[in-house]
Amino acid sequence: MSCPLPNDVLAEIISYLPAKAFFKLLPVCKTFYQLSSDSHFLLSQSYYNKAISGFFINSSNIFRSFIPIDPYAGVPSSSIEFLHQRESIILGSAGGLVFVLLRKYGWFDGAPDLWVYNPARGTRCQLPSPPGKFSQGGIAVRFMNNGDGVTTGYKLVYLTRWNPLQRCRVYDSVARAWTMDKEIDFGGRELDLEHPVVCDDTVFWASSEVGSYMSIESCVVAFDVGDECTQIITMPKDAVIDFFDTIGISKWEGKSLCLIRHRTFSCKFVLWLLNKTSDGASGWVKVQEISLAGLGFREPCYVSYVVLSEMASTKLLVFTKDSVLYSYNINNGELEKLSSLIDYHSLTLFPYSNTLRPCGEQHELLEAI
């Protein structure tokens, strides 16, 4: 097959495709096949495909299933089966990479290994073991920008519960070494470690101390990967979380932190953005209210998980109500049922983007394991 376009222009166009769609092009011509091993193309494709295309699901801390929400951006069944067979524990997902704990012989034989895994490409790379013991926690990833929007290396922030403190360990993929290991005091708060949000050099986690039927004060905590400083950010005054309410955090337009609160008894989502004020302090600005009652849901309406997904100018609010995963298009007001869930009370959902991002220089194919 001949193409009238220069190879660099063709590569730029193809880089906007999700990984699943790209792989269907490999038999078409030699150029496409060569792109599959071109590191700059792989990273460019990762940059343009940040939208959530599906969710990996843990139940009782073990991987159970994958739910696609974009039919053009799925993962091979062989990758899903591999995670099933190994009883993997997913710690986090970012940029098309999934970070998992795997045991070679079973969960009662030896310490687990930490792997970074690209399910779309069917590749994985083992990371050095972090200092100290593995424990329940989550992983956030700060991809490092080389100046033209393409991200190469990354810093991995592994935060674990270390009562009453949090243990924070940072891994540098370029140095292939853990560069930080210290305890952080977030005031004894219970954090949602599985769903961090990374904005520039700062990692955010939501805290929701739902321990009683009384109104309680929650917050967002922040950790700066560059200077290793921490901050506790109070919620908006009218965002006091009641017992059955749900909060989540996401990125808004790829750069701002968005706080999402669902009020169970009023059946309403409220969205705030975290902005810098003129004096340099952080402040919340309300940007959206969405009534589920107006969409046909009855009060009270219990939502267990919520996240914001963006693709170009389209904003989707993805949430679980009872045993169903829904998406709500903020732009046009359309509601869509995505999937039914099993044992939804004990599920943890990890958003996934369908990219070709390399796992590392020493990656291996799953078929070779």
Side-chain angles (χ1 to χ4, degrees), residues 101 112-114 127-134 158 167 169 178 181:
L101 290 180
D113 295 325
L114 177 61
L127 301 182
S129 297
K133 295 182 178 180
F134 284 104
Y158 181 30
R167 186 170 184 176
R169 288 163 279 190
W178 293 87
D181 177 21

Side-chain angles (χ1 to χ4, degrees), residues 184-248:
I184 298 178
D185 185 3
F186 286 125
R189 290 173 170 83
E190 186 73 15
L191 305 181
D192 182 6
L193 301 180
E194 290 82 7
H195 301 113
V197 172
V198 181
C199 297
D200 295 326
D201 281 337
T202 305
V203 184
F204 298 92
W205 294 270
S207 165
S208 182
E209 302 295 327
V210 183
S212 69
Y213 285 89
M214 302 177 63
S215 295
I216 47 139
E217 180 180 354
S218 299
C219 69
V220 172
V221 302
F223 172 73
D224 191 299
V225 178
D227 59 22
E228 301 181 1
C229 291
T230 61
Q231 182 184 7
I232 296 177
I233 305 168
T234 58
M235 294 284 188
K237 292 183 179 179
D238 53 348
V240 176
I241 310 300
D242 296 323
F243 183 75
F244 288 108
D245 291 353
T246 301
I247 61 171

Side-chain angles (χ1 to χ4, degrees), residues 348-365:
T348 302
L349 281 71
F350 294 92
Y352 163 76
S353 301
N354 196 219
T355 81
L356 299 167
R357 182 181 295 278
C359 296
E361 294 181 359
Q362 300 178 2
H363 74 262
E364 57 189 39
L365 295 174

Side-chain angles (χ1 to χ4, degrees), residues 326-360:
Y326 293 94
S327 72
Y328 173 79
N329 190 314
I330 294 178
N331 300 69
N332 60 25
E334 291 184 358
L335 180 72
E336 181 182 356
K337 177 181 176 181
L338 300 176
S339 178
S340 297
L341 303 172
I342 301 175
D343 297 329
Y344 65 95
H345 288 297
S346 61
L347 297 182
T348 302
L349 281 71
F350 294 92
Y352 163 76
S353 301
N354 196 219
T355 81
L356 299 167
R357 182 181 295 278
C359 296

